[in-house]
Structures are given as C-alpha cells and as structure tokens.
Amino acid sequence: MKRRIRYLSIAALAGLIFSIVSVRFAIAQATSNSVPFIGAQVFIEPGQTPQEIDHWFHILQQNGLKVARIRMFETYMHKSDGTWDYSLFDNAFQSAEKYNIKVIGTLFPATPFSDVGGFKFPQSEEHLKSIANYIQHVVTHFKKSNALLAWVLINEPGGGVPDTKYSTQKFNEWNAAHPDSAFNAKGYPIVNFDQERFQVYYNTWFLSWLAKEVHKYDPGRPLHVNPHAIFNNASQYDFPAWRKFLTTLGGSAHASWHFGYFNRDEYDVAMSANSEMIRSGAGPLPWLMTELQGGNNIYSGGVPMCPTKEEIAQWLWTIVGTGGIGAIFWTLNPRASGREAGEWALLNFQDQPSDRLQSTSEVAAVINKNSQLFAQAKVDESGISILYTRESMWTEEDSQTRGTYYEGRAVGGVMKSAIGYFETLSEMGIQSDFKEIGEYDFSGADYTGKTIILPHQVAIPAKYRADLENFVRNGGTLIVSGLTAFYDGHMHNVMQTNFPFESLFGGNIKEFKLVGNEFELHINNPYMTLPAHLWRGTIDSHGAVPIGTSNSEATAVINTFGKGKVVWVPSLLGIGARLKGDEPLASFLNEEATSSISNIDFRFQTWQEGMMLKTLKSGSSFITIVINKSNRIKNIELEMKKSLRPAVLFANKGGSALGRHIIISPEETMVIQWK
Amino acid sequence: MKRRIRYLSIAALAGLIFSIVSVRFAIAQATSNSVPFIGAQVFIEPGQTPQEIDHWFHILQQNGLKVARIRMFETYMHKSDGTWDYSLFDNAFQSAEKYNIKVIGTLFPATPFSDVGGFKFPQSEEHLKSIANYIQHVVTHFKKSNALLAWVLINEPGGGVPDTKYSTQKFNEWNAAHPDSAFNAKGYPIVNFDQERFQVYYNTWFLSWLAKEVHKYDPGRPLHVNPHAIFNNASQYDFPAWRKFLTTLGGSAHASWHFGYFNRDEYDVAMSANSEMIRSGAGPLPWLMTELQGGNNIYSGGVPMCPTKEEIAQWLWTIVGTGGIGAIFWTLNPRASGREAGEWALLNFQDQPSDRLQSTSEVAAVINKNSQLFAQAKVDESGISILYTRESMWTEEDSQTRGTYYEGRAVGGVMKSAIGYFETLSEMGIQSDFKEIGEYDFSGADYTGKTIILPHQVAIPAKYRADLENFVRNGGTLIVSGLTAFYDGHMHNVMQTNFPFESLFGGNIKEFKLVGNEFELHINNPYMTLPAHLWRGTIDSHGAVPIGTSNSEATAVINTFGKGKVVWVPSLLGIGARLKGDEPLASFLNEEATSSISNIDFRFQTWQEGMMLKTLKSGSSFITIVINKSNRIKNIELEMKKSLRPAVLFANKGGSALGRHIIISPEETMVIQWK
Amino acid sequence: MKRRIRYLSIAALAGLIFSIVSVRFAIAQATSNSVPFIGAQVFIEPGQTPQEIDHWFHILQQNGLKVARIRMFETYMHKSDGTWDYSLFDNAFQSAEKYNIKVIGTLFPATPFSDVGGFKFPQSEEHLKSIANYIQHVVTHFKKSNALLAWVLINEPGGGVPDTKYSTQKFNEWNAAHPDSAFNAKGYPIVNFDQERFQVYYNTWFLSWLAKEVHKYDPGRPLHVNPHAIFNNASQYDFPAWRKFLTTLGGSAHASWHFGYFNRDEYDVAMSANSEMIRSGAGPLPWLMTELQGGNNIYSGGVPMCPTKEEIAQWLWTIVGTGGIGAIFWTLNPRASGREAGEWALLNFQDQPSDRLQSTSEVAAVINKNSQLFAQAKVDESGISILYTRESMWTEEDSQTRGTYYEGRAVGGVMKSAIGYFETLSEMGIQSDFKEIGEYDFSGADYTGKTIILPHQVAIPAKYRADLENFVRNGGTLIVSGLTAFYDGHMHNVMQTNFPFESLFGGNIKEFKLVGNEFELHINNPYMTLPAHLWRGTIDSHGAVPIGTSNSEATAVINTFGKGKVVWVPSLLGIGARLKGDEPLASFLNEEATSSISNIDFRFQTWQEGMMLKTLKSGSSFITIVINKSNRIKNIELEMKKSLRPAVLFANKGGSALGRHIIISPEETMVIQWK
C-alpha cells in the first residue's frame, strides 16, 4: 500500500524531492538546507579481507568523508550455480554502518571483467530479464542496511547504441510510434535525426525502466545517475525527462578522460562548466558530482595525469560553489587487477592518505565547521545563461567529412563556442548558467536583467522562436554569434528560406565566408577588435543597427525588440577567444550584457587572466570562491554591490582578503565569507 | 527509322559530333566555331515555389549565363504509388524556356537523401531495371522541352566498386572474357591488375549502357559526363573509350574537394592541369567544365574555402584558355537541407548575386562582346606533352605500405611528379598538354618540335616502347625522370631483366638509392643544380652522353636516337621542384626542350614565380590569358614569335599592356588580344 | 632404423647439436670452432635462365660468401595437374654445388603471389595436410643435394593468429588442456592472457610439427628459423621451447622494417640488441642472422633506406662480435615482380656487385684470412644482463587506450626502457646480454660480479620472486627502475596487496605520480641528476637506504640482501636516457654496477657518445670491434684489464690503434686483435 502511494506521488509530483523517514540523510541533502558532503568510491572486489574493507571505511570517517559509493557487482554475488552470496558486500555495508558512512550503491549487472565501465543498454529480452532478477535480489537484500542512502541506476549512461537485434527492435517500435516525414511543412526534404532522437529516448527509457524495477522492491529510495563526458555526450541526454524518476542528478567529471577540450590550467573552468551543465540538467532536483578523479593514471586516461592536492581543493570548492550537495571521488582504494588496477586512488599503496586525501580532508573540515553557513548556501545567480542545443550537436556530428581540421566545423565546434564564452565570463568573475536550451525557463513574464548567449548554435529548432522572442520582448538581452540558427532542428537551412529570426535579430544573413583559422572582427563605438574564427557572416539589416562592418557590409548589429535587445555577431567569437585570448570578448560582454552584469553581487573589477570567482548566498552573507590558475601572485580588486567585510574560511597558500582586495597565490583556492 | 540511321552514324563516326536540328545550340557548341558559355547548377528540390525557380532563371539571363544544369531527382518525381509527377521540374524547364536558358539535365535515379553525390554503379539486376525505367520516363518527358540541351549520364562516375553480389558477378563475367596469365612471356610471375582493369571496364560499360538507354528514347541527344577528382581518379577512366558514346566530356573541378595536391595560390594551375586532362581525354570532342565551386563551404569540402571574385575570374578564363566550350558553377542557389545545405552557391541568402556572380557576369560580358573572336579561338599548342600512365597509378596504389611518409612513394607520387613539370612550364608561360599516355597520338611521321615528358611514371606498358621509339626517331624530344619505366604494366621490374628502353634511353639503370627527402642533382654544361627527391638513379650508359655525375657515376644522360633525343635524369625532379622551387627545373627545360620552346608563339621572357600564361589562336590574332598569383605587382616581358600589338579585353585590377610588356596586379587576370 | 635413433637422440639431447656426416659444414658451424660465414638470399623464381642463376652463385663464390638461402616456393614446383617440377630449383642447387656454396632452404608452401612473407599458421586441417605433402616432396627431393645445409622451417614466424575456424578449434583444444581460473589464489580477479599464451604455444606447436615432418624424410638435417621484428614480436616467442627441435636460431633484422625504435645513427646498436636477443634465445645452440637488408627500398620498408657500404660492415661485424656464426643478406638478386621487385639487393641491375657487396666481400676476406682466430672466438661476457618479460609486453598491449602519446605507456614502453639501458652500456663500451627473463640461468650458486637490470618491466610473474632473491642473495646486483613489478603475470597489481618484492627491494611503493614527459631525478652521494620520464615513484622504505628523495620522500633506494644488493629507482630511467641523453645513466651504472664493470676486459675509459665496443675472446687473445656512429673523428682511450698490444685486422676509414688509444673516423668500423 505504501509503495503504491509513494509511486503515485512520484508520478504526480515529478521533479519534487523524496522525503521519507528511511532516507533521512537524503532528506537533508535533497532539501534546500543540507551540508555538502564529500565521499569516495570504495572499490569492493573479491580477494579483499574484511579487515581491509573495514580500514577503508574507517579512513573515510577519520577524514571527514561521509559517503561511500560501492559498485554492486553481480559477478561477485551471483554464483555459477544460481545462488547468491552477498557476504563480500555485506562486509562493506557493515563497516559503513560501524563508521556512520552512508552508501550509494551502483547497480552493476553481470558484464565481462574487461568491461570497465559496464554496459549502457540491454542486449536482449533475456538480458533485460536477467537485469530485473539481479535488481530484485540486490535491492531486496541491501535495502535492509541503515547505511544505504541511494541507488545509482547504472554507471555512466550514454555512448553508442549497440548494433544488436534487440536495439533494432526497440528502434523499430519507437519509430512506429514516432512516425516522421522526410519533408517539412513547406515541402522541403529534411533530416529527421531518427537515430539521434531514438538514442535520447532509449537512454531515458532504460533509466526509467531501471528506476521502476528498483522501486518495486525498495519504494521511495532515492535514485541517482551519473552522465559522463558531458561536453561530448550532452546531445544524448534529456535531463528534464529524467527528473521524473531521479531524486538527484550527478555526473562523472574525470580530468584525464573528460576535459579534452581544456588545457590543464583550465581544468577548474572545465569542472565549473561541467557542474553548471549538471546543475541545469537537475533543475529543481539537487545535484552532486558522482565521480571525480582521485589519483594517478598509468595506462588509463585520455590525457593521463595525477591530480595535485591543489587541484583537488579547486575541484571540490568549484562543485560546492556551483551548489552541488556532494562530490565523490573515484576512488578511495584502487582496483587490484586489469584495466585501472593501481590507478585513480586517494590512498597510497599502504592504504594511507595521499596528499590528495589530506587536501580533501581539509576541505571537508571547513565545510563541517561552517555547516550551517554551507547548508543554507545557494548559487548567487548572475542572470546570464549560455545555451547550447542538442540539435546543433547532432547536426555537427552528422556533417563531418574528411578534410582540413578547423575547430569550428569539427565535432566540438558547437560546444567549444559555448565554452569560449563560459571561460570569458569566468575570468570576469561571473558565473553563468550553461544549459541545453530546453532546460531554460522561458515561461517568465519579465526578463529584465537576464542575458542569454547563443554561441555558434548552428541548429535552433523552430519551437524556440516564440520562446526567444518572448524572452527579448520582455526585457532580456540576447547575444548571438557564429552560425547560430543556420539550420532548424532538421538540418534545413532556414537562412535561405524565410529566416524565422529575421524580426528578432533584425535582419538576415547575406553570406558566410570562410576567412581562415583566425581573423579580426571590428566593432565600432567603443571601437574594439574581437578575434574570430573561420567564417565571417554579413548581415542584410532590417531594422537592426550595425555596430561593425567589413567592406561596407554589416558584420555585427544590435536590434531592439520589445523591451530587450539582440546583439548579433555572426562570426565565431567563442572559439576566437579560445584561440587568441578572451580579454576582447570580455570587454564586448561588459558593454553588451550590462543589464545583467551591473546587477551581479560579486565580480572581478577587471578581467583577470586565469582567475575564477564563484559566489554563493547564504542568508544575509555571501561566500566567494576564488581560484588562481595563473602562474603569479594576484592582487585583485572585487566589484561588489554591497559593502561587506571578508572573513577567510579557507586558503591553502596563505591568501588574504582586505576590504575588496584579495591576494592569492598561484594554484590557491580561497573561500571567503562576506558579511 | 531516323533513330536507326542516327545510331549507325554514331557508331560509324565515333568521335564525331552530332549535328541534328533539335539540338541546334549543341551544334554551335560542339563544332569548332562556338562561343564559350558560362552556366550554373540550378538546384531544384521540393519546397521551392515556382516564383523562386523563375527568379533563378531570370538571374541567369540577367548575368549573361546561358546554361542551367539541373539534377533530375527520381526521388522527387516518382511517387510511392508508382506514378510520376514532373511538375516541380516542369516549372524549371518552363522558366528556362522563358529566359532562353539551355538546360543540361543530370540523370539522378533514386538514392537515399544522404547520398549527396549519387551512386556510381548499379547494385543489382533489379536496380538496373529500375534505372532503365527511370530513364524511359524522364527522358521521354523532358526531351519535349526546347530548353533541353543535353543529358549528363550520371553524376561524377568513379570511386570504388561496391562489394556486392552484382559487381562480383559482373567481375566474374568480365574476367572470364579477359583471361589473364599469372606469368609473362618470359615466365616471370606478374601482377595482372584484374581489379583495376575491371574497374576501368566497369565504368565504361555502365556509362555506355546509360547512353544506350537514353538514346532509346531521345536519339541523337548530346550526352555528357563529368569525371571528378581527376588527380586521384584518373587511373579509373578510359576516356578514349568514352568518346564512342559521348558528345562532350566534362569534369568536376572543385577547389575545396579536388585540389588537395595544390596550395591555394596554385589553384589556377590546378584548374589549368585539370582542364588539360579533360581536354586530352575529350580528344576530338569538345569539352567543358561541368562543375566548379561557386560559393562558401561550411561542413563540406576537404579544404574548405569561399572562392574570391578574383579566383572566379581566374578559373573561368583558365577554362576558356584551355579551349573549354563552357563552365558551369556548382551551384547558383544552395541546397536547402542536409549536407551541403546553404553552401556552394553564387547567390546569397537573399537570392541576390554575390561578388562571385558579379565577377562571372563580367567575364560573360567580355566573351559575349567578343563572340566571334572567342568562337574561333583554339588552343595555341606548345608541342610539349606531359604524360602519365594509368599503370603507374595502379602500381603505386598497390604498393603502399605503412611507414615513413615520402611524397614520391606515397599515393600521388606519380601524379605530383607530373604536376611538378606542369607547374614549372606554367611559370615559364608555357601551356603543356597533360595526357594519359594512351591519349597521345603516336601515329605521326614527324615529331620535330614536339616534346614528351615522362616524369616518375614508374610503370610503362610494353606496348609503348615502339611508340616512344617512333616518336624520338622521328624528331621528338623525350624527357624522362624519376623511376620512369621501373616496371612494365604488370608490376614486373624490367630494369633487371633486359631493359626494353636500353636502346632508346641509351643505357640501363645501375641502382636507385634512397638519399632523402631533398637532395641536389648536378648537371654540367651549363652547370646547374636541380632539387631532387628521395631516390637517385645511376646509369650504366650505352651510348648516351653523361651530363651529370655523382661519385663518378652518371646520374643524367642525353641519348641521340634517330632524329631526336632522350634526356634521362632518373631522380625525382618533379617533386623536387615542388619542394624547393621550380626555377632550376625551368632552366633545365629551357635548355633541353628548346626544339619545342623556340617555336612557341607566346611565353614569359624569363621564369615568373606565381604567374600563368595561356594562349589561344583565333584567326590571325592571338588571345593571351595572364594570371598573377604572386603577392606583388609584376612587370613582365613576353617572348613573342611575331610582332603584334596588344588590346586588353579584360583586366580586373587595372592591368595594362604596352608592346610586349604587361603590368599586372596580384590576383589579377588579364585577357589580351594580339593582332 | 637410423631415423628412429636420430629422432630419439634429438628428444633425449634436446638443446644439443647435430653432428652427422651428411651435414659436415653444419658441424663446423654448430660446434664451438666454426668460422663465421656470410651469405645471401638467392631469389629463385620462374623467368630466370640457368645462366643467370649460375652467375649469381659464381658471384657468391667470387666475393667470399659461402652460403645461399633459397625460398623453396611450392607455387613454382607443384603444377596445377598435381605433378612436381623441381627443375628451376635443381638449377640453383647444381650451381651451388659447382661453386661450393651451401644452401639453406626455406620451406615455403603455396600461398598467393601477393603474400610476400608467407603465412604463419595453417588455415585448416586440409591445409596442414597439403603442407605435409609439400614437405614430403621437397625435402625428399632436395636432401639428395650435397649443397643442402639446413632447412628453415617457415619464414619469419610470428604475427597475429588469423581468426579462422581452425585456429579457434586449436585454441579451444589448448584451452581445455590448460584450464585457467579467473581468480588468483587470494581470490582476486585476474587477467589470464589466454589469447597471448595460446599464441606462444601455437607458434611453438606449428614449428615443432614442421620439424617433425621434415625429419620424417630427412632425419638429422639441421633446422633453423628466423623470428622477425624482435623488438615488437618478442612476446610471442618461447625460444627455450624451440631449442628442442632447432639446430640453430636466427632472425630477420631489417633496418627499414624492424628498427623503428631507433634513429638511423643507432642502427648499429639496434643490430647489436637484436643479435643479443637472438643469442639469448638460442642459449646453447649456435645462432646466426638469417636476414639483413642488402639494398635499397622503393615502396617496401617502414623507414625506407639504402644501406651504405659502411653500415654493411658495421652490421656484419656487430653480428660477428655478438658470436653469430653467420649472416645472410636479403637478397643477392632482387625479386622481379610485385612487391619488393627491384628492391633489397646486393647486386645492381647489371648483376654486378654494389658497393655494399664489395664491403661484404672485404669483411669476408678478413674473416677467412684469420679463420682460426675467428673460429675460436667467443663473446667475452660482461656479466651484465638486461631482462625483459613477455608478460610486461602483454600487459602493455592489453592496456592501451586512446589518448595523449607518451612512450612509456604506449606499446613499446617496456622494450624501449630496456633499450635505453642497452644503448647506455653500449656507449660505455660494454656489451650486455638482452634476455627474456625465462632465458636467464637462475640455477647458479654464486652471482658475484653479475648484474641484472629490470627496466620498467611492469609485470613480473610470481615464479621469478625466488629466482631473483636467489640471484641477489648469492652476490648479484639487481638494478630496478620504472614500474617494474607493478603487476604480476596476470595483470594483478601486487604493489597494493602484499608486495612480493618488499623484502628483496627493501620497501614498498607509496605512489606513482605522472610528472610529465621529462623530469629530473636526483641521486645523492655522488650527487647526480638523471633524466626520467612520465611517472615518479616514491618508496616506503623497509630497510633499504634512500639515495634520492623528492619532497622528503624516497625516490631511489639501495637494499642489501644477502651477499648482493638491489638498486631501486622507480622512475623511467631507460626512456629518460633516450629522451635527454644517456651520459647521466652511464655515470649511475658506473657507480652501481661496479661489481660487474670492474671485471670487464675491455671498455671505454669514459662514456663515448655514438660509439660501440664489442669484445670477443679467442684463445689467449681478444678481438674488439669498435664502431664510430658519431659525426666526428674520435680519439678514444680503452680501459683494459690486461696489458695487451693491438693489431688492426680491419679498418675501413684508416683507423689506427696505439697502446690503449684508438683513432677512428665517423662511420668507421675497426676490428682489433689484442695479444
């Protein structure tokens, strides 16, 4: 009876948060007043002794880490004679209980030993049944433990759909239910992206199926999942749809695997952007970072590394500064065999804390010491949102051809364009949202002080025209660059056939012309030169006011629309800033996004190369997180709306704050409370 | 009845040109006195309105473009219920008639939307029947239009033979009819290149089948086809065999797809070489350039670009200067959806002329203003021919292995060696022929003043020994470099087993030795140093006179043979010139190809970096086309056989001519009439 | 009867050498007192005339080459009607007899013409029968020739196992006979490397099968085989197992195919290392280099080249200096058709000796003139052995992932680490052994003066723990660097789970941390800085004495163990030396391997960049081979244990020796007798 009620309420209150007694820890986390936690994966596998396992949980407790994630290997529970032996994992749960550590269990149905990350989709109807059977056994058994906090439905969903009979059958079923014409309403042939849309559907379907199976046996238990490689895989995820069955959203954000679009001295920004994307995906749900790199790479990792203790602090505070309710390292102890063996861990080979775990412990201590402050802290919104679209990523991927490499037309051009703005704002001390366009709330009535940036989003589905018009009409500022809106959502080039954004943008594109990897784009009044990349667009203005020209053709315009305005520069400024430095773009944004920027509580007084600032609001005080990734000591002046006084909560290189001035060393992270 | 006669006459007069009343426009084009035309692809697809389509044809007329090419999509005519609806294309033909535009229709049987270029071979017997059915319907319907000029049999034949049951069956049939031993007459094992020879056959077979099908319903209609990526695909084409069913030969010569062997400032030479290869393939038939790039690339194009208005003029005049009867841009208007959407066009997104179309229009105006002059113009032959062999390209492709990249042994080494000479001659102001060896006319009795260059043609089939001996014996000059004649046509190394060219070349190769990517080759009297690449050959001279030595071994010889001579430098001079500059090779050719060069009507007095000169003869006057691709203003003196006076017909950067002196700006094209 | 006895004795005396009358030449070679021979592949194929073939054997005789290798193509003997025609090869054997040339015949069952190297494994049961039939015919026929010296069982075994039904069946049979758990004794999951172990087995099985088939018809005949690309393929070979059926072991050591881990000026060291690996594999059997590059590359060869006459001398003397009983060039005459046609040969296209053959002839003359001296010469062992493990190579290959390229974690990291030490010792004038760990004789009782180096051997199977402890306990010096012993033989990371080498190495690894491509590792007392690569390991010392620290953590230690010591530097010094120069590593080895180095008869007094020294002992005199690959004349002082006087036997650039001083030109090879 209870189950049915629970289940109904989930359906009825999609997006709301569970709060039942049996998951009391989750309550604190999932409601607004929770203290951010730090955790680590305890990698449980046969061969380990109960004493070793116990030691690891003890270590967590000793270092202020409150959560362990455990991969619940079916392979190590389900014996070849069909019986189940949970003892290895029972040991772990018992130690967790002993040291008051909460456990997040990752469902991990049987898969070959060499399959390090686990499968993402069922392989057959029988496989699906076998997964259901696994869930029944594991969930029924472990839900009894007081240590159990939540289930991760599957590890790192996303990646290619395998070419199997089963997935073909699923595709055919889906396709039959979603018939799609090869022509649009005007009669033009279109690309219907059926494979891509199916993949989005299929991920959501499988996750929701898993959620349903888990709740059959453990109703009301918080559910979680960790999408990975977000800068590449974002086009496969429909986060808003996931909110219906998830309690929290998370992510895997491994420096050596997932930050390939960034240099190492930008990994703090990478973590920040990744966090913002997960935060946006979570919407009203709480979010946490499910995996971040704990230790050294040997053979694994695309850009192998060992995080420094400073990076560990930067990443943790970046997550806290983005409103994350938790961060879990991969891993506490290393796997013993096969791929990843001896890698990734916070512990050294003597099971003693590395400098990285010590750094983690220091961060945990500051949070725990100021638990009330952090429990009430919320992201201090800047009002600036960078939007990407799934359809732009699909279009880009579908359009690839062999040839000269240019970032702007290769896979990643869409995402890197967005990142270019994110980095620029970050060096201005401004934290912007980073959202799939479908995650933006277009239902408002007043967008005064809000800015949306659409950087080289080549495909804008038709349905967003009204949303964007509404946004600007009601006071918003829209900044558009690159080949944004070149296609609609079906790879149909709308610029040549009655451009739907003519009235909003104040004109039409005449032509895009490939200029070269780098070129200069001039803006008048105030005069500035922006580095741009690849193509220059020229505008046939219908009402918009040119603010930049090339050979007497407009290359940048501003269009007043309703109470708002659109700034349109159809050249690739985001990648231009990445290639040649983002100070000019910062100046440009300062000029054009004033309505938002002038309302921001904290930011850098001037553009600061290699610096990052994030701001939380907690009651009447603010918390700023400042990170210095430049190679010199910085003496920085903050621009503040209110006159508050600083108190340094954390500084791991002796940084200090006086009035609105901060002195901070290279690689240092400072956390300052202002009141 | 008429059809049969027509058909017989085609068979009887293979290579001659149609001249029946219904294709009166073609008559003018296909006979010697035709005015070169400029045209553009009008891309017709559903979604377009009759008004839009009409506007495009109007634009063609307004800008002096006389021909539209239209892709006749079966997909947009043949409905799912089996009926045919031609209305979309009828609109186009009606507008063409209205504005007096001639249409070249490209047959384009049904293929998936994502197949941008169309298939090259039938996939099954049923598919073949379906193509025949398509041809019957489309040809029968559109032959009625007065606008119809010609059919393109298929778009861009060439590329890999698909691995299907059908092609295997065709291969087996062909193989049974062309049995080939695995051993040669001496008993040596050989490579029979059956796959390669089949591919050549298969292309020819399918094209001839298409021609026959079209003429079933539209007898006598001019037929055309556009081989593409000629520098890569030349080994797959047997142009002389195609002359039997074609009326004109053409080509696709897209800068961004097909000029990968050239830098951008050499694209004029690339267009020139491409044109010469098509001209040679056409033989007695007229030729035209079926596709050249009209506009910007976004995701398509191997080396993406947007042509400048200057490049447009350079390309058009280069085609005219190579005797082309026409040039058709891809495209006037852009495709609307999918790959290539919004790319390639001469029009901007407002359907207005780009600067490229304006430039096109200016060229058209000059041609039309001087129509009689251009109608009678013929290439003023230099007597110099660069020959390549299909077998050299096959051998090179078949020999590839992993390893250090050297241009001379990678795929393309054979072709780039030829290009190296072509570029060098071009900078001397000399236009050479560029021919597959089978296209050369070896049937003459006197070759005085003729020069043949065989640059690193690693495979020379045995049958050409007598031809080449005849050529030199009767007064020709033969220049041989690289590993030319290392193999016969069956990958048998003839240099170690009774070298067939010993008597013609005046010796044998002792050894080739790999020296390095670049080395210097010394020539005596006059002393000069030629940059060379990769291997140095040494010669065991039997009668030939050494003109260069290394370590006391001959590395260059001259052999007198009959009334002619052979200059043999068995090192890679063509690629050497490309790597280190071609001025030394120009000096060498000046010295050794004097018998041809001294008879040329127009050339540069001295080698001119980045310059090109092409010469037409029209009645008693000459037309020279001069292009400046260097980055500075050039003041050039011409070497002329007759004393004529210049009249500038075209100069798009203010260039001028006085006496034999020309002043020309960077990127400028000048067209000068001399009388 | 005789056959059975022979056969039994082979089985009984595995590893011993045949010595029956019919192979009298082999006797001399295979026993300790044989004069090293030089030979060449005479490439026999149809099309050749008996006169040509006879000329080649005459050339061998004239130039002092005593052995011809012949590929016994089934394709050119076994006619399509099933009959056999041996005449082509009979011609060759008759000429061999005529000029007193011994023939090593390579079994080469039918394979397609394009299969240049031959298959490595049977494709089916029928194929196996067909091979047996071929062997029966060919062996029975040619064993009658007095010229026949030995059979090569197959050309260049090794390479991937083809994915056929037959190999799957063989794998399943083997797997059933070698069941392997997925867990180790402690219960940890492991990687069982079944594919890799099967491949090793399968190579051995097929070779032994071939040996048995040959001896069915030609009992007692010496058998040989030539593993190739040893630096890559070593992990596939079990040489000790091969000794049971081989008479001699050989190898293919082609500069352009197999020395990719070396620069051209290190090819002498590459040949030296390759020779040492074969020598080690041969164990008590004699060894010879079956293939070395004779001539120029055109399309074949990964790093194409033409050997210089100096390189030819360097390679030959290096082989002699490593105790090789012979060296055979690939080829005397070039193949005529297909891949490799016109390449690789010692003869030029006029069948005359190249400078390379002249150089060969000079070396042969010196050996033959001093035949007694060379017949008794043996490698003057240094006592230093560099060991690699097959399991390290398997682990490395199995661990590959996409990502940033670092030599140390890419395929080859294990081998290059070993090579780094080998090169360093070579420039110290010290020739070290280069052995798979299983080839080392751990059965000794006293290892005083012996040194073993384990450079980045990431996987050390458990069984070697006792062996290595025994080695050190009994006086040996063990030098360990890189990630040596990170895994056991099953990819289980033993450093985190009771490190088996804790007592021997004197501690445990705390952590490895990726530092970067190059970093500096400091050693105290004497202070020195060693270039290191990629990861730095820190040590938790249990008794070992730190000799280097970083941030107060030990990064290098020395552990006294029994009568010996272990020097442990868990950073990649081998690749570090390759990247930044090996002089520091030479200093370090001088310091730490003193017990061996101080006993060496000849070495350079100081480290000598680009120099190599190899020493043979012959009776009471020594022979040193000195090669100068630096680009300047070197004046070198030798460190000698005894006071002997030099006599120059060979010097091809005018080198001289006076007392212990040698003056030697760039590229020169000197051979000096000391008595």
Side-chain angles (χ1 to χ4, degrees), chain A residues 46-47 76 257 296-304 334-339 341-342 348-350 354-356, chain C residues 186-189 398-399 401 403-404 406 409 483 486-487 491-493 495-496 508-514 535 540:
Chain A
Y76 303 145
W257 276 127
N296 184 61
N297 296 121
I298 306 287
Y299 291 112
S300 72
V303 184
R335 286 176 78 120
S337 301
R339 300 192 171 202
N348 71 11
F349 292 139
Q350 286 73 49
S354 65
D355 58 355
R356 300 177 300 284
Chain C
K186 287 187 186 170
Y188 278 103
D398 206 52
S399 300
T401 188
T404 309
Y406 289 110
R409 69 176 208 140
L483 268 65
F486 191 77
Y487 308 96
M491 219 164 150
H492 176 67
N493 174 20
M495 290 191 164
Q496 69 193 81
N508 292 299
I509 291 291
K510 285 176 166 174
E511 293 206 79
F512 286 106
K513 287 187 183 180
L514 196 152
W535 300 288
D540 184 29

Side-chain angles (χ1 to χ4, degrees), chain B residues 535-547:
Chain B
W535 300 287
R536 174 165 48 218
T538 48
I539 299 167
D540 183 29
S541 173
H542 286 198
V545 179
I547 58 168

Side-chain angles (χ1 to χ4, degrees), chain B residues 24 61 65-67 95-102 147:
Chain B
R24 61 192 178 290
Q61 189 199 44
L65 278 65
K66 300 192 169 169
V67 168
S95 293
E97 291 170 15
K98 176 174 167 191
Y99 298 108
N100 200 23
I101 303 296
K102 292 295 164 190

Side-chain angles (χ1 to χ4, degrees), chain A residues 188-193 395 398-399 486-488 490-493 496, chain B residues 45 113-114 116 298-300 335-343:
Chain A
Y188 279 103
I190 55 168
V191 174
N192 65 21
F193 288 119
T395 298
D398 206 51
S399 300
F486 191 78
Y487 308 96
D488 63 10
H490 292 91
M491 220 165 148
H492 176 68
N493 174 21
Q496 70 193 78
Chain B
E45 61 185 333
F113 180 64
S114 59
V116 171
I298 307 287
Y299 290 111
S300 72
R335 286 176 78 121
S337 300
R339 300 190 173 204
E340 295 198 354
E343 305 190 42

